[in-house]
Each structure stands twice: as C-alpha cells, then as structure tokens.
Amino acid sequence: QVSFTKVSSKDGTTPLPGGSFTLSGTAFDSTHVSKTAAADANGAVTFTGINIGTYYIYETASPAGYLMPNATPAVTPILDVTVSYNSGM
C-alpha cells in the first residue's frame, strides 16, 4: 500500500480532509496501474493493492475551500514513489 497525509501548505502540519488523488505508473510486470483515492477526515490518503513498481501521484481535486496549485494537475505529479519489497527484517 502507498499512503500519505494531505496537509496545509500554510503551516505544513494541519491535515486537510477531502481532495482527490490519482496514483499512476507501472508495476514490476510492466502492467499499467491507475487508482484514485480521496483524503479522509484526517487528511490520510491510501492506495491499496499496489505492487512493486514506479508510480506518480497527482492531486486531481483540491479540498473544499482550497485552490489547486498553478501547475496542471494531470501533468505535474506531487509525489513520485518507488514501491519495493520489504521483508520486515
């Protein structure tokens, strides 16, 4: 799984509920992956069922009362993520 918390850019700590995000990329077996998720009441965003691979996360809708960044959301990722195997050791 891939998860993060959406926070206010004003103070960098206040969680923001709402807002939509898309995770897009390629799994280890060259399968294209695209999933959407919304920030919950605590600002947590979680994508489940994500295999090892390389992905980008895009903000596709801002939380209520906030504006999207000036960059085009579908073109400019807010995060790049590499998912790898962790044996827990």
Side-chain angles (χ1 to χ4, degrees):
Q1 99 179 8
V2 173
S3 59
F4 63 94
T5 300
K6 171 67 176 175
V7 296
S8 171
S9 62
K10 291 179 183 177
D11 64 16
T13 61
T14 302
L16 297 178
S20 297
F21 299 86
T22 297
L23 176 143
S24 182
T26 306
F28 71 96
D29 62 358
S30 299
T31 302
H32 176 73
V33 175
S34 182
K35 294 188 172 218
T36 59
D40 69 12
N42 298 312
V45 179
T46 302
F47 297 95
T48 58
I50 305 299
N51 287 319
I52 294 169
T54 302
Y55 305 95
Y56 297 95
I57 297 175
Y58 304 87
E59 186 171 7
T60 53
S62 61
Y66 288 83
L67 299 174
M68 291 292 293
N70 291 333
T72 306
V75 178
T76 307
I78 60 168
L79 294 171
D80 58 340
V81 179
T82 299
V83 178
S84 58
Y85 178 75
N86 181 349
S87 65
M89 298 180 136

